[in-house]
């Protein structure tokens, strides 16, 4: 039953006109709607440009569920980058790390000039998983100051952050990056996890022989 409902939601989202999105919006407050179905509705609304769906997504930024707030962020960013950034300027920082990580991913899908300024600030997040998400978002954007932003994070206490930083250095291949990665490799020898060591080796391999 849920599968058929999800398929129906996706079909309505693909139609994209106001009558279809209006039906989707009315599903959001339905008390019997499963959380997974509500998230599908939010994803479908990301492709709509009418005011009703936009207002519904903005309202969901205050939803009790972190997953719903994260989904709303993703859909709003997909709709209109400029409007999304304007909305963000009036929001407090979400207390749930998963929402902040979703924000980083959404910003990484925007043009560099739109996403990078906020991502730079988010590198100071106290949660390592958010910092790692920010680095992953920065990697495809290749900001000119990217290497300087992540160099120090190769020494971060959390191996997940160091892994993301190593992948970024391997993707950008800045001058001097081999020495940074060699130092990161020595640091990673103390880890109980292998992730930072593997990411560092892959990044060194990206530089070639």
């Amino acid at each position: 039953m849920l599968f058929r409902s999800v398929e129906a939601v996706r079909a309505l989202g693909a139609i994209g006109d106001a009558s279809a999105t209006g039906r989707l919006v009315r599903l959001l407050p339905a008390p019997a709607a499963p959380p997974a179905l509500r998230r599908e509705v939010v994803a479908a609304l990301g492709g709509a440009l009418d005011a009703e769906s936009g207002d519904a997504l903005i309202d969901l930024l205050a939803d009790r569920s972190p997953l719903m707030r994260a989904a709303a962020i993703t859909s709003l960013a997909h709709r209109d980058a400029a409007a999304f950034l304007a909305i963000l300027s009036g929001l407090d920082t979400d207390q749930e790390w998963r929402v902040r990580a979703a924000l980083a991913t959404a910003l990484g899908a925007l043009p560099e000039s739109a996403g990078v300024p906020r991502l730079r600030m988010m590198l100071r997040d106290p949660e390592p998983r958010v910092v790692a998400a920010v680095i992953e978002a920065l990697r495809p954007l290749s900001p000119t100051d990217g290497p300087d932003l992540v160099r120090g994070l190769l020494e971060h206490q959390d191996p997940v952050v160091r892994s993301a930083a190593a992948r970024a250095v391997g993707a950008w291949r800045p001058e001097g990056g081999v020495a940074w990665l060699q130092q990161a490799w020595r640091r990673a020898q103390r880890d109980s996890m292998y992730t930072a060591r593997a990411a560092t080796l892959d990044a060194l391999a990206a530089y070639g022989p």
Side-chain angles (χ1 to χ4, degrees):
M1 179 67 73
L2 177 59
F3 175 78
R4 290 197 294 271
S5 298
V6 167
E7 290 299 306
V9 165
R10 291 175 179 172
L12 286 171
I15 294 171
D17 64 21
S19 62
T21 55
R23 293 172 65 185
L24 290 173
V25 168
R26 288 191 289 276
L27 284 173
L28 289 172
L37 182 61
R38 294 183 73 220
R39 291 195 295 273
E40 284 291 340
V41 170
V42 173
L45 291 177
L49 297 177
D50 61 287
E52 182 182 14
S53 59
D55 290 344
L57 290 173
I58 292 171
D59 289 344
L60 287 172
L61 294 175
D63 196 88
R64 292 177 59 185
S65 165
L67 293 179
M68 287 297 292
R69 298 198 300 275
I73 283 172
T74 301
S75 287
L76 284 166
H78 181 74
R79 283 167 57 96
D80 185 324
F84 175 61
L85 293 174
I87 292 166
L88 285 183
S89 67
L91 291 178
D92 293 331
T93 301
D94 200 290
Q95 296 303 303
E96 169 59 47
W97 75 265
R98 290 174 294 178
V99 180
R100 302 197 303 277
L103 172 58
T105 301
L107 289 168
L110 302 182
E112 179 186 349
S113 60
V116 167
R118 182 73 177 240
L119 287 168
R120 286 193 187 102
M121 294 189 294
M122 292 180 69
L123 283 171
R124 298 193 293 268
D125 196 284
E127 169 55 56
R129 288 168 291 189
V130 175
V131 176
V134 172
I135 298 170
E136 295 291 355
L138 285 168
R139 180 154 50 101
L141 296 175
S142 300
T144 55
D145 62 344
D148 292 332
L149 292 174
V150 304
R151 181 179 180 179
L153 296 173
L154 289 167
E155 297 294 325
H156 196 278
Q157 64 180 359
D158 194 287
V160 174
V161 174
R162 283 185 273 119
S163 299
R167 285 191 291 271
V169 172
W172 299 332
R173 297 190 295 278
E175 184 177 355
V178 169
W180 307 350
L181 292 168
Q182 289 170 339
Q183 177 62 31
W185 168 258
R186 290 189 287 270
R187 167 67 177 81
Q189 299 309 301
R190 304 195 296 271
D191 293 340
S192 59
M193 299 172 59
Y194 71 90
T195 51
R197 292 192 293 273
T200 303
L201 285 176
D202 288 343
L204 283 166
Y207 274 89

